Amino acid sequence: MKKLLAVVAAVAAFSAHAETLTVAATPVPHAEILNFVKPQLEKQGVELKVKEFTDYIQPNVQVAEKRLDANFFQHQPYLDEFNKAKGTDLVSVVGVHLEPLGAYSSQHKKLDELPDGATVVIPNDATNGGRALLLLDKAGLITLKDNKNILSTVKDITGNDKKLKFRELEAATIPRVLTQVDLALINTNYALEAKLNPEKDALVIEGSDSPYVNILVARPDNINSDAMNKLKAALHSPELKQFIQDKYKGAVVPSF
């Protein structure tokens, strides 16, 4: 009985003193990564609550409005563009991993098999759309006015020998139209959710030199909280690095 009371008291003490962090994340791989470090944080007195989203807008909106503490789904170029467009001041806490953007097709096995007039779908947000076009430029399918401009749009295409036709859709919806188009540029988190294997299925994919490292994002008022610093450390732990390497087999690459 005394032992039981001691356990109850310990649990009550932990609950009373535990710090809580509520973090938004897209399901794969971000929520999986956060759930992996959750036990580590619990031992340090931090209760990590992971709230899953399937879009790229609400996680930032809800952090800015202080409904959530942080989010984990985006890279720095996307955050910069979001802050500029929405007037927010969200900040990067730490870079965690790279999800190489890839080009996929259910109809063609090689890029040079794309027919003239082929339909290509790319993300409709500024940074990922530009990122997709830069990858196609690097692959030799198109020529851009400036192949260093991450905000390039289809209007910046100066060479298009195959007369490719471009459609722009929300990133999360692109896997759903893969069978309806010739080529689809898909973010790795959505490719994994769609049971695609980026290493095997992508006809072309970004290299390890990509600047699009996924980051943990918070507000200036809570970026240096004790709980946030503990989460930051956990996201750079050797255990997490090994987890990413073992689970994703190169489809997700640690940046630390």
Side-chain angles (χ1 to χ4, degrees):
M1 186 63 178
K2 289 182 178 179
K3 288 185 178 180
L4 177 60
L5 290 174
V7 170
V8 172
V11 171
F14 173 81
S15 299
H17 295 94
E19 301 172 271
T20 300
L21 273 182
T22 304
V23 182
T26 45
V28 181
H30 304 85
E32 293 176 341
I33 288 172
L34 290 173
N35 284 321
F36 176 81
V37 302
K38 183 183 289 189
Q40 180 180 341
L41 291 170
E42 187 176 356
K43 292 176 182 177
Q44 300 176 55
V46 177
E47 181 184 3
L48 179 62
K49 295 182 178 179
V50 182
K51 187 173 181 180
E52 294 188 9
F53 287 79
T54 58
D55 73 283
Y56 285 172
I57 305 299
Q58 282 303 310
N60 276 338
V61 170
Q62 294 196 27
V63 172
E65 294 178 350
K66 298 187 178 182
R67 287 187 277 165
L68 298 170
D69 298 304
N71 65 53
F72 181 37
F73 75 96
Q74 65 196 311
H75 48 63
Q76 189 68 51
Y78 181 88
L79 177 62
D80 292 342
E81 185 64 20
F82 186 94
N83 279 335
K84 181 180 177 182
K86 303 296 185 182
T88 49
D89 60 351
L90 301 176
V91 290
S92 170
V93 179
V94 67
V96 181
H97 69 270
L98 170 69
E99 298 172 24
L101 182 81
Y104 300 82
S105 177
S106 64
Q107 303 179 36
H108 312 289
K109 294 183 178 181
K110 297 180 180 179
L111 287 180
D112 57 16
E113 292 179 4
L114 289 175
D116 288 351
T119 299
V120 179
V121 62
I122 64 174
N124 66 0
D125 62 276
T127 49
N128 283 306
R131 181 182 182 185
L133 293 174
L134 291 177
L135 181 60
L136 295 177
D137 177 281
K138 189 174 182 179
L141 281 178
I142 60 172
T143 302
L144 291 171
K145 185 192 308 181
D146 178 4
N147 63 8
K148 297 291 188 297
N149 180 14
I150 63 173
L151 298 180
S152 293
T153 70
V154 292
K155 294 180 180 179
D156 297 311
I157 297 174
T158 57
N160 184 3
D161 292 341
K162 284 183 174 287
K163 297 180 174 56
L164 303 175
K165 299 174 182 176
F166 289 90
R167 290 174 56 192
E168 298 176 73
L169 296 175
E170 184 180 350
T173 68
I174 293 180
R176 301 176 203 165
V177 303
L178 180 59
T179 60
Q180 304 168 34
V181 299
D182 293 285
L183 194 68
L185 279 291
I186 305 176
N187 295 77
T188 289
N189 58 316
Y190 294 130
L192 292 173
E193 288 175 27
K195 308 303 181 185
L196 294 167
N197 183 323
E199 283 197 310
K200 295 180 180 178
D201 298 329
L203 303 190
V204 62
I205 196 166
E206 288 177 329
S208 58
D209 58 343
S210 171
Y212 298 96
V213 172
N214 280 229
I215 54 179
L216 177 70
V217 169
R219 298 182 304 275
D221 69 280
N222 71 351
I223 186 175
N224 291 315
S225 71
D226 183 59
M228 196 72 70
N229 283 331
K230 289 175 180 175
L231 175 56
K232 176 180 177 180
L235 290 173
H236 268 207
S237 66
E239 294 83 4
L240 178 63
K241 186 172 188 176
Q242 192 64 52
F243 170 78
I244 292 173
Q245 292 170 336
D246 292 344
K247 183 172 181 63
Y248 302 110
K249 310 294 184 184
V252 178
V253 183
S255 63
F256 57 95

